[in-house]
Amino acid sequence: MENIKTVQADGAALSENEALIEQAYEAMAEGKPEKQPKQKPAASNPKWEKWKQNFKRRGWILVFILPALIYVLIFCYGPMYGILVAFQDYMPGDNIIGSGTNWIGLDNFKTFFSDPNFGNYFLNTFLLCILGFLVGFPLPIIVALLLNSLKPKKIKKGLQILYYAPHFISLVVLVGMLKLIFGSDGLLDQLSVKFGGDVNGLQLFLKPEAFRPLFIFSGNWQDFGWSAIIYLAALSGVDPALHEAAKVDGASRFRRIFSVDLPAILPTVIMLMILSIGNLMSCGYEKVLLMQTGGNLETSEILSTYVYGGLMSGQYGLSTASGLFNSVINVVLLVIANFTSKKLANQSMW
């Protein structure tokens, strides 16, 4: 009986202790502030966060871009306020923006568009540039693919130097070479007379129909090797394993050019094509003026020479208007080329 009473006493004590512990826990719970549900942080822009992370890791690379950026801002964007001259009757010494500015609106553009030779200038520019683009754009690609296919390194390097060298010939020397070969009393004329041709020779520099072929092919001969450098650099990054896999599948070297090399450089080709189209209507006046004669004015008078002639005659507003018109056409062509490339090939500049 005593044992039973002892157990009951112990049980009562335990129950009292448990009650005290529960009361202590309740008191502690009442004293603690209720836990507030964690609020989710405001969703930030993932693109902005990604840009910040990339800037922290690679921002120092922008230091190398600063010289080019400063150059473009000073020499390209800085002088752009000069297009206001197209809407003024400007003379040297006048203020482009100021109280003495003589604004004439669109009169310079009206004078330019009403010129009887405007259609001829525009057509000559378009034909000269589009024919030059059709011949000159694919030529460096073909040369780069062929050079990349050559196995003997000595022959490959020799051809590269041979193709690059004409790029360093100045325009004056190049036109001088053309006149020595195709001009009056040039090599071709002398051979023509010697073999029973016309006594006066061919005189290609005096024929309007000969101006475009001479201009286009001489320009491409001078620059195609230099332009091929970009494509050769792109071809150097092609994985050799792709060629090995194509060989295993039985592809010939010619087939591998179209199945491996050309797809590898396609993004580069598209990007350079967009840039070329954006500069399509810009034919420099220097070479045209050097090749221009009284006999080929029918095809050699273009928009850039019209601008140059206006500057030489003191018609600054008219020359600026015609130059601005040419630039607007280039911008429109650039936007169209970029949009078309983005839709068809999913490659674009922006």
Side-chain angles (χ1 to χ4, degrees):
M1 293 294 293
E2 292 180 359
N3 292 333
I4 295 173
K5 289 180 179 179
T6 303
V7 171
Q8 289 178 350
D10 292 340
L14 289 172
S15 61
E16 289 179 1
N17 291 335
E18 289 177 357
L20 291 173
I21 292 171
E22 289 181 359
Q23 291 177 2
Y25 277 123
E26 289 178 359
M28 291 173 62
E30 289 177 357
K32 287 183 179 180
E34 293 184 0
K35 293 182 179 180
Q36 298 293 334
K38 293 183 178 180
Q39 295 181 355
K40 294 181 179 180
S44 58
N45 190 349
K47 292 183 178 180
W48 173 249
E49 294 295 332
K50 185 177 180 181
W51 187 89
K52 287 197 297 184
Q53 293 177 2
N54 290 335
F55 183 80
K56 289 179 181 178
R57 286 183 295 176
R58 306 184 183 93
W60 59 271
I61 299 177
L62 297 176
V63 177
F64 296 97
I65 305 175
L66 282 177
L69 180 62
I70 294 172
Y71 174 85
V72 170
L73 290 176
I74 294 176
F75 295 102
C76 296
Y77 285 94
M80 283 183 67
Y81 75 96
I83 63 175
L84 296 175
V85 174
F87 308 94
Q88 302 171 5
D89 184 11
Y90 178 82
M91 292 299 292
D94 295 347
N95 292 325
I96 296 179
I97 301 176
S99 58
T101 304
N102 186 12
W103 297 95
I104 59 174
L106 299 176
D107 288 354
N108 287 322
F109 292 92
K110 293 177 182 177
T111 303
F112 174 56
F113 293 137
S114 61
D115 192 306
N117 296 317
F118 167 74
N120 189 39
Y121 297 156
F122 184 82
L123 181 62
N124 287 341
T125 306
F126 179 77
L127 289 176
L128 195 64
C129 294
I130 195 67
L131 292 175
F133 173 77
L134 293 176
V135 175
F137 183 75
L139 189 59
I141 302 173
I142 297 171
V143 171
L145 291 171
L146 294 177
L147 285 175
N148 189 64
S149 301
L150 287 176
K151 292 183 179 179
K153 292 185 178 180
K154 291 184 178 180
I155 297 177
K156 183 178 180 179
K157 290 182 180 180
L159 288 175
Q160 287 179 357
I161 295 173
L162 184 65
Y163 293 155
Y164 300 163
H167 175 76
F168 300 97
I169 300 175
S170 69
L171 287 178
V172 177
V173 175
L174 176 64
V175 175
M177 292 168 59
L178 290 176
K179 289 185 176 180
L180 287 174
I181 299 172
F182 302 103
S184 301
D185 298 328
L187 177 63
L188 199 62
D189 280 17
Q190 292 179 12
L191 290 175
S192 175
V193 173
K194 187 175 181 180
F195 288 101
D198 190 351
V199 177
N200 296 323
L202 298 176
Q203 296 186 347
L204 296 179
F205 267 77
L206 298 177
K207 295 182 178 179
E209 62 273 12
F211 172 77
R212 293 190 187 113
L214 288 174
F215 183 92
I216 292 170
F217 287 105
S218 61
N220 287 316
W221 171 77
Q222 186 179 22
D223 291 328
F224 80 92
W226 185 259
S227 301
I229 294 177
I230 299 176
Y231 301 110
L232 284 171
L235 287 168
S236 65
V238 178
D239 189 357
L242 297 175
H243 283 282
E244 296 298 330
K247 287 181 181 179
V248 172
D249 291 339
S252 63
R253 188 67 191 92
F254 185 76
R255 180 63 182 174
R256 279 184 281 134
I257 289 175
F258 287 92
S259 300
V260 179
D261 291 337
L262 199 55
I265 65 172
L266 188 60
T268 305
V269 172
I270 292 175
M271 194 62 61
L272 292 177
M273 183 181 66
I274 294 173
L275 292 174
S276 298
I277 292 175
N279 203 36
L280 188 63
M281 293 292 288
S282 297
C283 290
Y285 67 90
E286 299 93 343
K287 185 179 177 182
V288 176
L289 287 177
L290 290 170
M291 295 182 62
Q292 199 172 73
T293 62
N296 62 17
L297 283 175
E298 183 182 343
T299 55
S300 64
E301 195 69 26
I302 59 176
L303 290 175
S304 59
T305 57
Y306 181 83
V307 173
Y308 178 80
L311 291 174
M312 293 296 100
S313 61
Q315 297 176 313
Y316 298 99
L318 183 61
S319 296
T320 306
S322 56
L324 180 59
F325 168 74
N326 197 10
S327 299
V328 169
I329 293 177
N330 283 329
V331 172
V332 172
L333 291 174
L334 176 64
V335 173
I336 293 174
N338 187 77
F339 177 79
T340 306
S341 175
K342 189 174 183 179
K343 289 295 182 182
L344 297 180
N346 200 24
Q347 294 283 340
S348 61
M349 292 183 61
W350 65 84

